[in-house]
Amino acid sequence: MTMGTDSARNRLRVWPAGRVAAITAAAAVTALVPAAAFAAGGGAPVAGDISTVAGGKGPGPAPATSVSFSPCGVSFAAGFVYADASETVRQVSLQGGQLTTPAGTGSFSPLGDGGLATRAGLDQACGTMVDGSGNLIIADGDRVRAVAAATGTFYGQAMHKGDIYTIAGGGGTSPADGVPATSAAIGAGGVALDAAGNLVIAGGNLLLVVAVKTGSFYGQAMTAGDLYIVAGGGHNGLGDGGPATFAEVSAAGVAVDAAGNLVIADRGNSRIRVVAVKTGTFYGQAMTKGDIYTVAGGATSGLGDGGPATKARLAAPGGVALDATGNLVIADSQNGRVRVVAVKTGTFYGQAMAIGDIYTVAGGGTSGLGDGGPATSAEVGPAGVAVDSAGNLVIADGGDARVRVVAATTGTFYGHAMTKGDIYTVAGNGQLSYSGDGGAATEAQLNDPVSVAVDAAGNQVIADLVNYRVRVAAAATGTFYGRAMTAGDIYTVAGTGKRDSGIPAFLHSGIPATKALITPDGVALDRAGNLVISEPRGIRVVAVKTGTFYGRGMTAGDIYTVAGNGGIGLSGDGGPATAAEFFDTSGVAADAAGNLIIADAGNDRIRVLAAKTGTFYGLPMTAGDIYTAAGVGNGLGDGGPAITAGLQPAGITLDAAGNVVIADPGHDRIRVIAVTTGTFYGQAMTADDIYTVAGGGTSGLGDGGPATAAELTAPSGAAVDSHGNLVLTDLGFADVVNPSVRVVAAATGTFYGQAMTKGDIYTVAGGNPPGFSGDGGPGTSAQLSSPGTVAVDGTNLLISDSSNNRIREVAG
């Protein structure tokens, strides 16, 4: 499925068949209005305004090792390491080790050119440098961007201090000599400045230069602001010893040596190559001005340490740097090493080196992470490398989600006491996107929070899917789920951060929930206040207190499997729930009788775990057994028995009357199973039958008109607010690409800052191209990205803005 233009910056998750973002929400009885919900200027939030209440790690300052990110590049300038992490650039101080974020939001934000860099969207920021004016230059996937250090004119543009601007790329014209830099379509994996101040860009199969002034460079007449090809684009194969523009290259990174030569990390050819800026002898080779040469790599077997660099084997080098001596420092990515090519004979990095030979200085060891020990005994996954002003090697260790340093001397760097030759983590906590437990929820990092619910105390309960945890943002200070919590802070209450490893892990019951392996697709609270977690293989429960639930004794804080035998499939109806098979459960809710209503998404049905013996949803049920209550038919089945209807369910909830409300993304509808005969949502309904209450229409978006005449696109979550309004998430892909949260009014009145008519549908958040923006303003001006679930928090709405890794709130 294609999503239209600029898809790299405006991503949407497209779920496989039978899998939509998990959803469920329990109605709150206590309102929660976190401090983050207040507008930037202070005061109470305005009805309809949106804010982030959990996730969205702020710019700091914070201890660098407390933050999670996976660096794909690294540079050093003026006392700071710049660790590039795709959607942010992180800055770590050499003195003290504090981290700040000078650019990027960490979410799929709008481009943001001409505005604050901290509010801009970055896409693939894997190369950085600081120019002579102090501007931060970022290689950002399809463009090169500058964050102005001061107000002035740079790269031919008027710039304001702290704002971000595109200075190359982002256009539609193919790169060619003399093309204006900002009109060209480029790739940018790395960036450097040459001695003249020209911008040099590692652009994949091209090495490009943007002239900073009009003159002659690299043997060409160049005009200020225009783009020129200085290497690559040829069809002569490797092309060593010939003109660089006739050669084939695969430039992942670039550096400029003391002689002005361009040094390329040629990932695709597994070499380090040099474009000679003048005729002479460099790296032990006679070179001709404008020609290209291999100076390291090219062998097909044997690592080659201790021998000539040109007879060594490199594997997809991700970056290259020059140290103060002029030695080449290489991130030999797929060999798991940082390697050095000596520019002269001497002792470097604690090793005797011979001119032209290559040596491993970090990585290749077998002692695991190895922090605090010799760098050559450690394991590393280097994506990029730099050398700081103290001579330390700085490694973007993407494989271990850290920035690491090999100390050049014994001393204190980045807030850590270090021993010469040893390796240390100076930024990153080793997780891909997890941090913040025990601190403010708004400063935490979430990773695909697909579901949110509100418990009876007003705490937000979050299914932090790709962190494999359930986390709680506390509404008040107290003890919840067996943990002491402080109001406004966030805590893990289930999961270890490691993925559910299969049947044994899923069936492991009676252990502390924080020691269990989980894959939380959805969260809810049952009638006793226990935490209920839907996972692909079934349902698990974390006991809120010690007692008997679901027919078994449970201990407070421990986790128990209550439905599912660990297998993937469809079996077990009419028998014990723990003997049944499920396939990708995506949501769960508890009804008034205490039964668990389960969206068994992969099996296209709603199933019920009976809490007691009786008749429910038209079926006689026995306590502890599992039953299909809806979804065995092939057609839509509206107006008939739910059991014979066709469904592709995602999220479910219960309304005040006890009706089961189902987000049915497969049919682009919100549907209701009536628990009793009566009139609901403007329709006469018969007990145990199913009805469409929103979606399925042909009038497009349909805002301001009847909900059943509107078109929905894969609605994945549903809730009912305190006024009885139906609230839903609408992923909005296909033709619209405008993810939103929408409300079907239960009565005529004003809700979420809008006048609404009974039975009509309205957008209250999003409805714009996917991305992240709008906090502090009207929800309808905001951008969302893959909203999964919606919950009710008193008068406010909570949205799991999953691809933005945030929980956001719309004030009621």
Side-chain angles (χ1 to χ4, degrees), residues 77-78 82 91 129-137 147-150 154-155 193:
Y82 293 89
Q91 183 187 64
M129 60 155 297
V130 175
D131 70 14
S133 299
N135 303 309
L136 174 62
I137 311 300
V147 180
F154 308 101
Y155 305 98
L193 284 188

Side-chain angles (χ1 to χ4, degrees), residues 424-521:
Y424 303 85
T425 293
V426 299
N429 63 7
Q431 304 284 332
L432 288 179
S433 188
Y434 167 76
S435 70
D437 268 5
T442 51
E443 286 294 297
Q445 289 174 289
L446 307 176
N447 195 351
D448 204 4
V450 294
S451 180
V452 61
V454 182
D455 68 16
N459 303 309
Q460 297 171 16
V461 184
I462 303 164
D464 195 359
L465 176 60
V466 184
N467 281 326
Y468 306 110
R469 291 170 164 89
V470 174
R471 303 172 78 181
V472 169
T477 298
T479 299
F480 309 101
Y481 308 99
R483 294 201 58 171
M485 300 187 183
T486 300
D489 288 355
I490 194 167
Y491 303 85
T492 293
V493 296
T496 65
K498 296 181 180 179
R499 186 173 185 171
D500 174 356
S501 57
I503 293 175
F506 179 77
L507 295 180
H508 208 163
S509 288
I511 64 171
T514 51
K515 294 183 178 180
L517 303 183
I518 65 173
T519 306
D521 277 341

Side-chain angles (χ1 to χ4, degrees), residues 336 362-380 400 404 421-423:
T366 57
S367 62
L369 192 64
D371 272 352
T376 50
S377 297
E379 296 178 7
V380 300
D400 293 302
R404 305 176 74 190
D422 287 356
I423 192 167

Side-chain angles (χ1 to χ4, degrees), residues 314-472:
L314 303 179
V320 62
L322 284 301
D323 67 16
T325 304
N327 300 311
L328 295 181
V329 185
I330 304 163
D332 191 1
S333 300
Q334 291 185 9
N335 279 326
R337 288 167 161 80
V338 175
R339 305 176 76 185
V340 167
V341 178
V343 73
K344 63 181 181 180
T345 298
T347 299
F348 309 103
Y349 308 100
Q351 298 184 46
M353 298 188 181
I355 184 171
D357 287 357
I358 193 168
Y359 304 83
T360 292
V361 295
T366 57
S367 62
L369 192 64
D371 272 352
T376 50
S377 297
E379 296 178 7
V380 300
V385 66
V387 182
D388 70 18
S389 57
N392 304 309
L393 293 185
V394 186
I395 305 166
D397 188 351
D400 293 302
R402 302 164 188 263
V403 174
R404 305 176 74 190
V405 165
V406 180
T409 58
T410 297
T412 299
F413 310 101
Y414 307 98
H416 300 267
M418 298 187 181
T419 300
K420 180 179 179 178
D422 287 356
I423 192 167
Y424 303 85
T425 293
V426 299
N429 63 7
Q431 304 284 332
L432 288 179
S433 188
Y434 167 76
S435 70
D437 268 5
T442 51
E443 286 294 297
Q445 289 174 289
L446 307 176
N447 195 351
D448 204 4
V450 294
S451 180
V452 61
V454 182
D455 68 16
N459 303 309
Q460 297 171 16
V461 184
I462 303 164
D464 195 359
L465 176 60
V466 184
N467 281 326
Y468 306 110
R469 291 170 164 89
V470 174
R471 303 172 78 181
V472 169

Side-chain angles (χ1 to χ4, degrees), residues 699-723:
S699 63
L701 187 63
D703 270 351
T708 51
E711 295 181 29
L712 303 182
T713 306
S716 55
V720 179
D721 70 15
S722 57
H723 301 285

